[in-house]
CSV table of all heavy atoms in Angstrom, one decimal:
chain,number,residue,atom,x,y,z
A,1,ASN,N,1.3,13.8,2.8
A,1,ASN,CA,-0.1,13.4,3.1
A,1,ASN,C,-0.7,12.8,1.8
A,1,ASN,O,-0.7,13.5,0.8
A,1,ASN,CB,-0.9,14.6,3.5
A,1,ASN,CG,-2.2,14.3,4.1
A,1,ASN,OD1,-2.9,13.4,3.6
A,1,ASN,ND2,-2.6,15.0,5.2
A,2,THR,N,-1.2,11.6,1.9
A,2,THR,CA,-1.8,11.0,0.7
A,2,THR,C,-3.1,11.6,0.4
A,2,THR,O,-3.7,11.4,-0.7
A,2,THR,CB,-2.0,9.5,0.9
A,2,THR,OG1,-2.9,9.2,2.0
A,2,THR,CG2,-0.6,8.8,1.2
A,3,ASP,N,-3.7,12.4,1.3
A,3,ASP,CA,-5.0,13.1,1.0
A,3,ASP,C,-4.7,14.4,0.3
A,3,ASP,O,-5.7,15.1,0.0
A,3,ASP,CB,-5.7,13.3,2.3
A,3,ASP,CG,-7.2,13.6,2.1
A,3,ASP,OD1,-7.7,13.3,1.0
A,3,ASP,OD2,-7.8,14.2,3.0
A,4,ALA,N,-3.5,14.7,0.0
A,4,ALA,CA,-3.2,15.9,-0.8
A,4,ALA,C,-2.8,15.4,-2.2
A,4,ALA,O,-1.8,15.7,-2.8
A,4,ALA,CB,-2.1,16.7,-0.2
A,5,GLU,N,-3.8,14.6,-2.8
A,5,GLU,CA,-3.5,13.8,-4.0
A,5,GLU,C,-3.9,14.6,-5.2
A,5,GLU,O,-3.3,14.4,-6.3
A,5,GLU,CB,-4.2,12.5,-4.0
A,5,GLU,CG,-5.7,12.5,-4.5
A,5,GLU,CD,-6.6,13.4,-3.6
A,5,GLU,OE1,-6.4,13.5,-2.4
A,5,GLU,OE2,-7.5,14.0,-4.2
A,6,GLY,N,-4.8,15.5,-5.1
A,6,GLY,CA,-5.3,16.3,-6.3
A,6,GLY,C,-4.2,17.1,-6.9
A,6,GLY,O,-4.1,17.2,-8.1
A,7,ARG,N,-3.4,17.7,-6.1
A,7,ARG,CA,-2.3,18.5,-6.6
A,7,ARG,C,-1.2,17.7,-7.3
A,7,ARG,O,-0.5,18.2,-8.2
A,7,ARG,CB,-1.7,19.3,-5.4
A,7,ARG,CG,-1.0,18.5,-4.4
A,7,ARG,CD,-0.8,19.3,-3.1
A,7,ARG,NE,-2.0,19.6,-2.4
A,7,ARG,CZ,-2.1,20.3,-1.3
A,7,ARG,NH1,-1.0,20.8,-0.7
A,7,ARG,NH2,-3.3,20.5,-0.7
A,8,LEU,N,-1.1,16.4,-6.9
A,8,LEU,CA,-0.2,15.5,-7.6
A,8,LEU,C,-0.6,15.2,-9.0
A,8,LEU,O,0.2,15.4,-10.0
A,8,LEU,CB,0.0,14.2,-6.8
A,8,LEU,CG,0.5,14.3,-5.4
A,8,LEU,CD1,0.4,12.9,-4.7
A,8,LEU,CD2,1.9,14.8,-5.4
A,9,VAL,N,-1.9,14.8,-9.2
A,9,VAL,CA,-2.3,14.5,-10.6
A,9,VAL,C,-2.4,15.8,-11.4
A,9,VAL,O,-2.1,15.7,-12.6
A,9,VAL,CB,-3.7,13.8,-10.5
A,9,VAL,CG1,-3.6,12.5,-9.7
A,9,VAL,CG2,-4.8,14.7,-10.0
A,10,LEU,N,-2.7,16.9,-10.8
A,10,LEU,CA,-2.7,18.2,-11.5
A,10,LEU,C,-1.3,18.6,-11.9
A,10,LEU,O,-1.0,19.2,-13.0
A,10,LEU,CB,-3.3,19.3,-10.7
A,10,LEU,CG,-4.8,19.3,-10.6
A,10,LEU,CD1,-5.3,20.4,-9.6
A,10,LEU,CD2,-5.5,19.6,-12.0
A,11,GLY,N,-0.3,18.3,-11.1
A,11,GLY,CA,1.1,18.6,-11.4
A,11,GLY,C,1.5,18.0,-12.7
A,11,GLY,O,2.1,18.7,-13.6
A,12,ASP,N,1.3,16.7,-12.9
A,12,ASP,CA,1.7,16.1,-14.2
A,12,ASP,C,0.9,16.7,-15.3
A,12,ASP,O,1.5,16.9,-16.4
A,12,ASP,CB,1.5,14.6,-14.1
A,12,ASP,CG,2.6,13.8,-13.5
A,12,ASP,OD1,3.7,14.4,-13.3
A,12,ASP,OD2,2.5,12.6,-13.2
A,13,ALA,N,-0.4,16.9,-15.1
A,13,ALA,CA,-1.2,17.5,-16.2
A,13,ALA,C,-0.8,18.9,-16.6
A,13,ALA,O,-0.8,19.3,-17.8
A,13,ALA,CB,-2.7,17.4,-15.8
A,14,LEU,N,-0.5,19.7,-15.6
A,14,LEU,CA,0.0,21.1,-15.8
A,14,LEU,C,1.3,21.1,-16.5
A,14,LEU,O,1.6,22.0,-17.4
A,14,LEU,CB,0.0,21.9,-14.5
A,14,LEU,CG,-1.3,22.2,-13.9
A,14,LEU,CD1,-1.1,22.7,-12.5
A,14,LEU,CD2,-2.0,23.3,-14.7
A,15,GLN,N,2.2,20.2,-16.2
A,15,GLN,CA,3.5,20.1,-16.9
A,15,GLN,C,3.2,19.8,-18.4
A,15,GLN,O,3.8,20.4,-19.2
A,15,GLN,CB,4.3,19.0,-16.2
A,15,GLN,CG,5.6,18.6,-17.1
A,15,GLN,CD,6.5,19.8,-17.4
A,15,GLN,OE1,6.6,20.7,-16.6
A,15,GLN,NE2,7.2,19.7,-18.5
A,16,ARG,N,2.3,18.8,-18.6
A,16,ARG,CA,2.0,18.5,-20.0
A,16,ARG,C,1.4,19.7,-20.8
A,16,ARG,O,1.8,19.9,-21.9
A,16,ARG,CB,1.1,17.3,-20.1
A,16,ARG,CG,0.6,16.9,-21.5
A,16,ARG,CD,1.8,16.4,-22.3
A,16,ARG,NE,1.5,16.2,-23.7
A,16,ARG,CZ,1.5,17.1,-24.7
A,16,ARG,NH1,1.8,18.4,-24.4
A,16,ARG,NH2,1.1,16.8,-25.9
A,17,ALA,N,0.5,20.4,-20.1
A,17,ALA,CA,-0.1,21.6,-20.7
A,17,ALA,C,1.0,22.6,-21.1
A,17,ALA,O,1.0,23.3,-22.1
A,17,ALA,CB,-1.1,22.1,-19.8
A,18,SER,N,2.0,22.8,-20.2
A,18,SER,CA,3.0,23.8,-20.3
A,18,SER,C,3.9,23.5,-21.5
A,18,SER,O,4.5,24.4,-22.2
A,18,SER,CB,3.9,23.9,-19.1
A,18,SER,OG,3.1,24.3,-17.9
A,19,GLU,N,4.0,22.2,-21.9
A,19,GLU,CA,4.9,21.8,-23.0
A,19,GLU,C,4.4,22.3,-24.3
A,19,GLU,O,5.2,22.4,-25.3
A,19,GLU,CB,5.0,20.3,-23.0
A,19,GLU,CG,5.8,19.7,-21.8
A,19,GLU,CD,5.6,18.2,-21.6
A,19,GLU,OE1,5.1,17.6,-22.6
A,19,GLU,OE2,6.0,17.7,-20.6
A,20,GLU,N,3.1,22.7,-24.4
A,20,GLU,CA,2.6,23.3,-25.6
A,20,GLU,C,2.9,24.7,-25.8
A,20,GLU,O,2.6,25.3,-26.9
A,20,GLU,CB,1.1,23.0,-25.7
A,20,GLU,CG,0.6,21.6,-25.6
A,20,GLU,CD,1.1,20.8,-26.9
A,20,GLU,OE1,1.2,21.5,-28.0
A,20,GLU,OE2,1.3,19.6,-26.8
A,21,GLY,N,3.4,25.4,-24.8
A,21,GLY,CA,3.7,26.8,-24.8
A,21,GLY,C,2.4,27.6,-25.0
A,21,GLY,O,2.3,28.5,-25.8
A,22,PRO,N,1.4,27.4,-24.1
A,22,PRO,CA,0.1,28.0,-24.2
A,22,PRO,C,0.1,29.5,-23.9
A,22,PRO,O,1.0,30.0,-23.1
A,22,PRO,CB,-0.8,27.3,-23.2
A,22,PRO,CG,0.2,26.8,-22.1
A,22,PRO,CD,1.5,26.5,-22.9
A,23,ALA,N,-0.8,30.2,-24.5
A,23,ALA,CA,-1.0,31.6,-24.2
A,23,ALA,C,-1.7,31.7,-22.8
A,23,ALA,O,-1.5,32.7,-22.1
A,23,ALA,CB,-1.9,32.3,-25.2
A,24,LEU,N,-2.4,30.7,-22.4
A,24,LEU,CA,-3.1,30.7,-21.1
A,24,LEU,C,-3.4,29.3,-20.7
A,24,LEU,O,-3.8,28.4,-21.5
A,24,LEU,CB,-4.4,31.5,-21.2
A,24,LEU,CG,-5.3,31.5,-20.0
A,24,LEU,CD1,-4.7,32.3,-18.9
A,24,LEU,CD2,-6.7,32.1,-20.4
A,25,ILE,N,-3.2,29.0,-19.4
A,25,ILE,CA,-3.7,27.8,-18.7
A,25,ILE,C,-4.7,28.2,-17.7
A,25,ILE,O,-4.4,29.0,-16.8
A,25,ILE,CB,-2.5,27.0,-18.1
A,25,ILE,CG1,-1.5,26.6,-19.1
A,25,ILE,CG2,-3.1,25.8,-17.3
A,25,ILE,CD1,-0.3,25.8,-18.5
A,26,LEU,N,-5.8,27.5,-17.7
A,26,LEU,CA,-6.8,27.6,-16.7
A,26,LEU,C,-7.0,26.2,-16.1
A,26,LEU,O,-7.1,25.2,-16.8
A,26,LEU,CB,-8.2,28.1,-17.2
A,26,LEU,CG,-8.3,29.5,-17.7
A,26,LEU,CD1,-9.8,29.7,-18.2
A,26,LEU,CD2,-8.0,30.5,-16.6
A,27,ASP,N,-6.9,26.1,-14.7
A,27,ASP,CA,-7.2,24.8,-14.1
A,27,ASP,C,-8.3,25.0,-13.1
A,27,ASP,O,-8.5,26.0,-12.5
A,27,ASP,CB,-6.0,24.1,-13.6
A,27,ASP,CG,-5.6,24.6,-12.2
A,27,ASP,OD1,-6.4,24.2,-11.2
A,27,ASP,OD2,-4.6,25.3,-12.0
A,28,PHE,N,-9.1,23.9,-12.9
A,28,PHE,CA,-10.2,23.8,-12.0
A,28,PHE,C,-10.0,22.6,-11.1
A,28,PHE,O,-9.7,21.5,-11.6
A,28,PHE,CB,-11.6,23.7,-12.7
A,28,PHE,CG,-12.0,24.9,-13.5
A,28,PHE,CD1,-11.5,25.1,-14.8
A,28,PHE,CD2,-12.8,25.9,-12.9
A,28,PHE,CE1,-11.9,26.2,-15.5
A,28,PHE,CE2,-13.2,27.0,-13.7
A,28,PHE,CZ,-12.7,27.2,-15.0
A,29,ALA,N,-10.2,22.8,-9.8
A,29,ALA,CA,-10.0,21.7,-8.9
A,29,ALA,C,-10.8,21.9,-7.6
A,29,ALA,O,-10.8,23.0,-7.1
A,29,ALA,CB,-8.5,21.5,-8.6
A,30,THR,N,-11.4,20.8,-7.1
A,30,THR,CA,-11.9,20.8,-5.7
A,30,THR,C,-10.7,20.5,-4.8
A,30,THR,O,-10.6,19.4,-4.4
A,30,THR,CB,-13.0,19.8,-5.6
A,30,THR,OG1,-12.5,18.5,-6.0
A,30,THR,CG2,-14.2,20.2,-6.4
A,31,LEU,N,-9.9,21.5,-4.6
A,31,LEU,CA,-8.5,21.2,-4.1
A,31,LEU,C,-8.4,21.2,-2.6
A,31,LEU,O,-7.8,20.3,-2.0
A,31,LEU,CB,-7.5,22.1,-4.7
A,31,LEU,CG,-6.1,21.6,-4.8
A,31,LEU,CD1,-6.0,20.3,-5.6
A,31,LEU,CD2,-5.1,22.6,-5.3
A,32,THR,N,-8.9,22.2,-1.9
A,32,THR,CA,-8.6,22.3,-0.5
A,32,THR,C,-9.9,22.7,0.3
A,32,THR,O,-10.7,23.5,-0.1
A,32,THR,CB,-7.6,23.4,-0.2
A,32,THR,OG1,-8.1,24.7,-0.5
A,32,THR,CG2,-6.3,23.1,-1.0
A,33,GLY,N,-10.0,22.1,1.5
A,33,GLY,CA,-11.0,22.6,2.4
A,33,GLY,C,-10.7,24.0,3.0
A,33,GLY,O,-11.6,24.7,3.4
A,34,ALA,N,-9.4,24.3,2.9
A,34,ALA,CA,-9.0,25.7,3.4
A,34,ALA,C,-9.7,26.8,2.6
A,34,ALA,O,-10.0,27.8,3.2
A,34,ALA,CB,-7.5,25.8,3.3
A,35,ALA,N,-9.9,26.6,1.3
A,35,ALA,CA,-10.5,27.6,0.5
A,35,ALA,C,-12.0,27.8,0.9
A,35,ALA,O,-12.5,28.9,0.9
A,35,ALA,CB,-10.5,27.2,-1.0
A,36,ARG,N,-12.6,26.7,1.3
A,36,ARG,CA,-14.0,26.8,1.8
A,36,ARG,C,-14.1,27.4,3.2
A,36,ARG,O,-15.0,28.2,3.5
A,36,ARG,CB,-14.6,25.4,1.9
A,36,ARG,CG,-14.5,24.6,0.6
A,36,ARG,CD,-15.5,25.1,-0.5
A,36,ARG,NE,-15.2,26.4,-1.1
A,36,ARG,CZ,-14.2,26.6,-1.9
A,36,ARG,NH1,-13.4,25.7,-2.4
A,36,ARG,NH2,-14.0,27.9,-2.4
A,37,VAL,N,-13.1,27.1,4.0
A,37,VAL,CA,-13.1,27.8,5.3
A,37,VAL,C,-12.9,29.3,5.2
A,37,VAL,O,-13.6,30.1,5.8
A,37,VAL,CB,-12.0,27.2,6.2
A,37,VAL,CG1,-11.8,28.0,7.5
A,37,VAL,CG2,-12.2,25.8,6.6
A,38,ALA,N,-12.1,29.7,4.2
A,38,ALA,CA,-11.9,31.1,4.0
A,38,ALA,C,-13.0,31.8,3.3
A,38,ALA,O,-13.4,32.9,3.7
A,38,ALA,CB,-10.6,31.3,3.1
A,39,LEU,N,-13.6,31.2,2.3
A,39,LEU,CA,-14.6,31.9,1.4
A,39,LEU,C,-16.0,31.3,1.4
A,39,LEU,O,-16.9,31.9,0.8
A,39,LEU,CB,-14.0,31.8,0.0
A,39,LEU,CG,-12.7,32.5,-0.2
A,39,LEU,CD1,-12.2,32.3,-1.7
A,39,LEU,CD2,-12.7,33.9,0.2
A,40,GLY,N,-16.2,30.1,2.1
A,40,GLY,CA,-17.5,29.5,2.0
A,40,GLY,C,-17.7,28.9,0.7
A,40,GLY,O,-16.9,28.9,-0.2
A,41,PRO,N,-18.9,28.3,0.4
A,41,PRO,CA,-19.2,27.6,-0.8
A,41,PRO,C,-19.4,28.5,-2.1
A,41,PRO,O,-19.1,28.0,-3.2
A,41,PRO,CB,-20.5,26.8,-0.5
A,41,PRO,CG,-21.2,27.7,0.5
A,41,PRO,CD,-20.1,28.3,1.3
A,42,ASP,N,-19.9,29.7,-1.9
A,42,ASP,CA,-20.3,30.5,-3.1
A,42,ASP,C,-19.2,31.2,-3.8
A,42,ASP,O,-19.4,31.6,-5.0
A,42,ASP,CB,-21.3,31.6,-2.6
A,42,ASP,CG,-22.7,31.0,-2.3
A,42,ASP,OD1,-22.9,29.8,-2.6
A,42,ASP,OD2,-23.5,31.7,-1.8
A,43,TYR,N,-18.0,31.4,-3.2
A,43,TYR,CA,-16.9,32.1,-3.9
A,43,TYR,C,-15.8,31.2,-4.2
A,43,TYR,O,-15.1,30.7,-3.3
A,43,TYR,CB,-16.4,33.3,-3.0
A,43,TYR,CG,-17.4,34.4,-2.9
A,43,TYR,CD1,-18.3,34.4,-1.8
A,43,TYR,CD2,-17.5,35.4,-3.8
A,43,TYR,CE1,-19.2,35.4,-1.7
A,43,TYR,CE2,-18.4,36.5,-3.7
A,43,TYR,CZ,-19.3,36.4,-2.6
A,43,TYR,OH,-20.2,37.5,-2.4
A,44,PRO,N,-15.6,30.8,-5.5
A,44,PRO,CA,-14.4,30.0,-5.8
A,44,PRO,C,-13.1,30.8,-5.6
A,44,PRO,O,-13.0,32.0,-6.0
A,44,PRO,CB,-14.6,29.7,-7.3
A,44,PRO,CG,-15.5,30.7,-7.8
A,44,PRO,CD,-16.4,31.2,-6.7
A,45,ALA,N,-12.2,30.2,-4.9
A,45,ALA,CA,-10.9,30.8,-4.7
A,45,ALA,C,-10.1,30.9,-6.1
A,45,ALA,O,-10.1,29.9,-6.8
A,45,ALA,CB,-10.1,30.0,-3.7
A,46,LEU,N,-9.6,32.0,-6.4
A,46,LEU,CA,-8.9,32.2,-7.6
A,46,LEU,C,-7.4,32.6,-7.3
A,46,LEU,O,-7.2,33.5,-6.5
A,46,LEU,CB,-9.5,33.3,-8.4
A,46,LEU,CG,-8.7,33.9,-9.6
A,46,LEU,CD1,-8.6,32.8,-10.7
A,46,LEU,CD2,-9.4,35.2,-10.2
A,47,MET,N,-6.5,31.9,-7.9
A,47,MET,CA,-5.1,32.3,-7.8
A,47,MET,C,-4.5,32.5,-9.2
A,47,MET,O,-4.9,31.7,-10.1
A,47,MET,CB,-4.3,31.2,-7.0
A,47,MET,CG,-4.5,31.3,-5.5
A,47,MET,SD,-4.2,29.8,-4.6
A,47,MET,CE,-5.8,29.2,-4.5
A,48,ALA,N,-3.7,33.5,-9.4
A,48,ALA,CA,-3.3,33.7,-10.8
A,48,ALA,C,-1.9,34.4,-10.7
A,48,ALA,O,-1.6,35.1,-9.8
A,48,ALA,CB,-4.2,34.7,-11.5
């Protein structure tokens, strides 16, 4: 699906971030409508 494009651009950026051997990576994205269906607008979905 070409509308699942955010994860594509993040994929390359996350790979670049990983190459530094970071202690922590945090990413932010308006990624899915599914998160809003599950949680509404006020609660950002967190995965870790």
